[in-house]
Amino acid sequence: MHLRRVSAALGLFIALGFPVMAHAGQTIDKIRTRGELVCGVSQGSAGLSLPDSNGRWSGLDVDYCKAVAAAVLGDGEKVRFVPLSSAQRFAVLQNGEIDILSRNTTWTSTRDASLGLAFVGTIFYDGQAFLVPKKLGVTRARQLDGATVCVQPGTVNEQNLVDYFTANNLKFKSVVIESLPELEAAFYAGRCDVYLSDASTLSASRAARAPKIDDFLILPERITKSPLSPVVRADDPQWFAITRWTLNLLIEAEELGVTSRNVEQQKASKDPAVQRLLGVAPGIGKAFGLDETWGARVIAAVGNYGEIFDRNLGPGTKLGLDRGLNALWSKGGLLYAPPFQ
């Protein structure tokens, strides 16, 4: 009976596309031996991953890595952040130089099937857009015929740029710059008419780097869907499960009303779902190779998804983003966590 169960489990991992390893927990073992989580982030995108003058990182992607560190190391501050360009990010993860990539990365079919990597789940629903100077006199994307467009290589933005202009019979010239700071400097210096990226990245750029915010406009069109997801190597099912369910936990905590401020009081809740989430009722720790209270520890460290969003991207920040598609499913958005059972 035991052998049949093992065979069935191995078959499931193979069917899901995970290579089977002799020791499924090698990633978490390395992290615990090292004493820190190594997280790949952007080269600087306000609201997502950006260092301050003291080198301290903040943002949605940053807080997610802190949540994972709290789950596996017991301390959300035990993270080393590695800034990566779009062209570098996948190779660095594949080579094992980082444990997780949390860098505004779009989940696509080709990336999912060909890189030997696993996308954890959508942490932010976004879409590509165009940022233009108002003096250009453009208010809609179809007015961009003949424009010069700044874009990073190694991103889906390059292909989306070609697709959009081809589909709409428009001409363009691309200015391809790998370094994000250099690309943004080129745009604001007038080397190109348009900056193409995810709307969140453009909002961050305008808020942090535009000489005058009101002189620049994000056009209303979103030319593609862009679900952003953290990424791990697809060779460790246990690590994939921990990273995926840490994200789910942040979403579930918001739906259940568990916050960084009330997490200790919520341990007295009679709601079975809250009891399971916080480890009062055992069950969600052992399967991941974690202790039962890892969920409570994560929420205490970074808060729930709503707290993280509001702190980094919400109306009270320079970006001033509404939740939109990133609201809970019960509030008109797309965020939904499978049950913790």
Side-chain angles (χ1 to χ4, degrees):
M1 179 66 73
H2 177 70
L3 290 175
R4 285 200 296 271
R5 288 175 179 171
V6 171
S7 297
L10 292 176
L12 176 59
F13 288 139
I14 292 170
L16 290 174
F18 296 114
V20 177
M21 304 185 330
H23 179 35
Q26 66 173 9
T27 305
I28 195 170
D29 289 346
K30 288 180 179 178
I31 292 168
R32 286 174 172 165
T33 299
R34 188 194 305 132
E36 66 179 1
L37 174 75
V38 184
C39 175
V41 290
S42 77
Q43 294 171 309
S45 182
L48 297 174
S49 51
L50 183 72
D52 63 16
S53 58
N54 296 316
R56 184 172 177 81
W57 289 83
S58 64
L60 175 72
D61 290 338
V62 168
D63 281 346
Y64 170 73
C65 283
K66 289 182 177 182
V68 176
V72 301
L73 294 172
D75 186 346
E77 295 302 314
K78 291 183 176 180
V79 187
R80 174 160 54 91
F81 296 101
V82 179
L84 299 169
S85 71
S86 297
Q88 294 172 317
R89 55 185 164 176
F90 296 126
V92 170
L93 179 60
Q94 290 164 333
N95 292 339
E97 298 174 54
I98 58 175
D99 303 310
I100 187 167
L101 178 68
S102 185
R103 188 208 174 280
N104 51 300
T105 298
T106 304
W107 186 357
T108 71
S109 60
T110 301
R111 289 172 174 176
D112 210 12
S114 65
L115 296 177
L117 303 175
F119 285 77
V120 169
T122 301
I123 194 170
F124 189 85
Y125 290 94
D126 210 343
Q128 269 90 52
F130 299 104
L131 178 65
V132 299
K134 288 183 179 178
K135 66 181 181 182
L136 197 63
V138 171
T139 58
R140 308 292 299 189
R142 292 194 180 187
Q143 297 173 307
L144 293 175
D145 192 26
T148 301
V149 184
C150 276
V151 64
Q152 277 188 292
T155 68
V156 295
N157 298 340
E158 278 190 290
Q159 186 60 55
N160 293 334
L161 173 63
V162 174
D163 290 349
Y164 181 81
F165 276 78
T166 300
N168 289 282
N169 197 28
L170 303 174
K171 296 179 180 179
F172 74 97
K173 179 181 179 181
S174 61
V175 176
V176 180
I177 302 174
E178 180 175 337
S179 166
L180 181 61
E182 290 178 12
L183 182 150
E184 293 183 336
F187 170 70
Y188 292 117
R191 281 185 55 193
C192 41
D193 305 311
V194 183
Y195 174 14
L196 171 67
S197 192
D198 292 331
S200 60
T201 299
L202 299 179
S203 297
S205 175
R206 184 175 62 172
R209 296 189 172 92
K212 292 184 179 179
I213 294 177
D214 292 338
D215 287 347
F216 294 86
L217 171 71
I218 298 176
L219 300 182
E221 293 87 355
R222 299 294 180 268
I223 67 171
T224 184
K225 294 177 289 186
S226 185
L228 306 183
S229 171
V231 194
V232 295
R233 290 179 296 279
D235 60 359
D236 189 336
Q238 182 195 30
W239 181 235
F240 174 73
I242 290 171
T243 55
R244 166 167 282 188
W245 283 89
T246 298
L247 174 57
N248 287 336
L249 183 138
L250 298 174
I251 298 168
E252 181 76 352
E254 181 181 6
E255 183 166 353
L256 294 174
V258 182
T259 71
S260 58
R261 295 179 297 276
N262 70 16
V263 63
E264 289 301 317
Q265 294 92 319
Q266 287 280 20
K267 290 179 180 178
S269 171
K270 301 302 181 183
D271 185 336
V274 174
Q275 291 181 340
R276 285 192 295 269
L277 196 74
L278 302 183
V280 176
I284 72 164
K286 184 177 180 180
F288 296 105
L290 301 173
D291 62 281
E292 295 295 348
T293 61
W294 70 276
R297 193 165 58 245
V298 166
I299 299 164
V302 299
N304 63 37
Y305 184 92
E307 289 179 275
I308 294 171
F309 185 99
D310 289 344
R311 180 166 62 242
N312 295 297
L313 299 163
T317 69
K318 288 184 178 180
L319 274 68
L321 299 182
D322 294 326
R323 290 289 293 270
L325 296 178
N326 296 291
L328 295 174
W329 68 280
S330 56
K331 296 183 179 180
L334 297 178
L335 291 187
Y336 184 104
F340 280 79
Q341 289 181 331

